[in-house]
């Protein structure tokens, strides 16, 4: 039981490049979410999904897309990277009792 | 939407003393209040949570209290140890499976001085 996994751990992009951050969970949780964490600002919700085929925007969705084709996977796509998207990204999976498990994070730098 | 405020932003205590971190929330529909501990370079990890039908919950040296009328909840760590040094986040949520979200405080950096 791996819990929540994320790849890659680190990534450097140039402005304008696109990429996909991968997230997977093996706990059969319906609810998954993506956060970004910036110094002094806590965790801010980017997008979330309450089940396969259903996604919705969080607090800071601009510049990001998500899809949820399976219960296990919830990838986050950066469409055209900008320096303002330099951050640490966490994927999370939430169980039926609301307990939330985070992945190990992806540290993204956009130059 | 929900707004969660957390205080203080930094806290230093002597080993063995108690530490208290406070959070307030704005949405009366919120009914789940978790606390997370995040060590440097690691992921946030759930350490304790409380639901709206309970006023207090304890787990060894950690306790959380909730005052729904005043819309505030607090984390209490007793007999602090150096390994308690980390950033602590509070959060508030309505049931996530109804499509509602987790809202986080901005974090408290706790330092326990040996």
């Amino acid at each position: 039981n791996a819990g929540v996994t994320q790849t890659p751990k680190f990534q450097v992009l140039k402005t304008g490049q696109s990429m996909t951050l991968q997230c997977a969970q093996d706990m059969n949780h319906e609810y998954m979410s993506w956060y970004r964490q910036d110094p002094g600002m806590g965790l801010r919700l980017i997008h979330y999904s309450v089940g396969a085929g259903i996604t919705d925007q969080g607090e800071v969705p601009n510049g990001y897309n998500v899809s949820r084709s399976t219960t296990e996977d919830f990838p986050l796509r950066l469409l055209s990277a900008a320096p303002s998207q330099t951050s640490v990204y966490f994927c999370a999976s939430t169980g039926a009792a609301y307990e939330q498990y985070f992945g190990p994070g992806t540290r993204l730098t956009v130059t | 939407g929900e707004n969660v405020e957390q205080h203080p932003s930094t806290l230093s205590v002597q080993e063995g003393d108690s530490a208290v971190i406070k959070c307030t929330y704005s949405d009366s529909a919120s009914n789940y209040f978790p606390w997370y501990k995040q060590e440097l370079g690691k992921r946030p990890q759930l350490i304790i949570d409380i639901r709206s039908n309970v006023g207090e919950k304890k787990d060894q040296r950690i306790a959380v209290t909730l005052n729904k009328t005043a819309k505030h909840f607090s984390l209490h760590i007793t007999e602090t140890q150096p390994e308690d040094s980390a950033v602590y986040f509070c959060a508030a949520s309505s049931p996530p499976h109804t499509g509602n979200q987790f809202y986080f405080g901005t974090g408290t950096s706790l330092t326990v001085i040996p």
Side-chain angles (χ1 to χ4, degrees), chain A residues 2 4 30-31 33 35 37 40-45 48 50 56-59 90 94-105 107, chain B residues 31-34 36 38 40-46 49 51 87 89 91 93-107:
Chain A
V4 182
E30 293 293 332
Y31 189 96
S33 45
Y35 295 90
Q37 185 174 36
M41 301 190 73
L43 290 146
R44 293 184 293 168
L45 184 66
Y48 65 100
V50 298
D56 207 346
Q57 297 180 350
E59 185 185 357
F90 288 101
T94 303
Y98 312 168
E99 71 282 10
Q100 194 167 51
Y101 300 93
F102 286 88
R107 187 173 296 274
Chain B
N31 64 351
Y32 176 67
F33 307 92
Y36 298 87
Q38 186 177 29
L40 190 63
K42 302 285 183 64
R43 71 188 84 186
Q45 293 203 294
L46 178 68
D49 56 15
R51 299 174 199 274
V87 178
F89 292 97
S93 176
S94 305
H97 302 90
T98 65
N100 290 318
Q101 307 166 20
F102 283 76
Y103 294 88
F104 284 79
T106 50

Side-chain angles (χ1 to χ4, degrees), chain B residues 6 10 29-31 40 46 49 52 66 73-75 86-89 94 101 106 108 110-111:
Chain B
Q6 183 172 347
T10 60
S30 292
N31 64 351
L40 190 63
L46 178 68
D49 56 15
S52 58
L66 171 65
F73 56 112
S74 300
L75 177 70
V87 178
Y88 292 81
F89 292 97
S94 305
Q101 307 166 20
T106 50
T108 296
L110 173 65
T111 302

Side-chain angles (χ1 to χ4, degrees), chain A residues 5-21:
Chain A
T5 58
Q6 286 183 241
T7 55
K9 278 186 148 348
F10 301 93
Q11 183 71 49
V12 178
L13 291 178
K14 294 187 188 309
T15 297
Q17 287 184 318
S18 63
M19 78 159 296
T20 298
L21 308 184

Side-chain angles (χ1 to χ4, degrees), chain A residues 67-84:
Chain A
S67 60
R68 184 94 180 272
S69 56
T70 67
T71 299
E72 294 77 22
D73 300 299
F74 190 41
L76 177 73
R77 279 183 290 278
L78 279 70
L79 309 173
S80 177
S84 61

Side-chain angles (χ1 to χ4, degrees), chain B residues 12-19 61 77-81 84 112:
Chain B
S12 291
V13 299
Q14 292 289 334
E15 182 176 359
D17 287 350
S18 296
R61 297 187 295 108
I77 306 174
T78 58
E79 301 173 20
T80 53
Q81 300 168 2
D84 294 330
V112 179

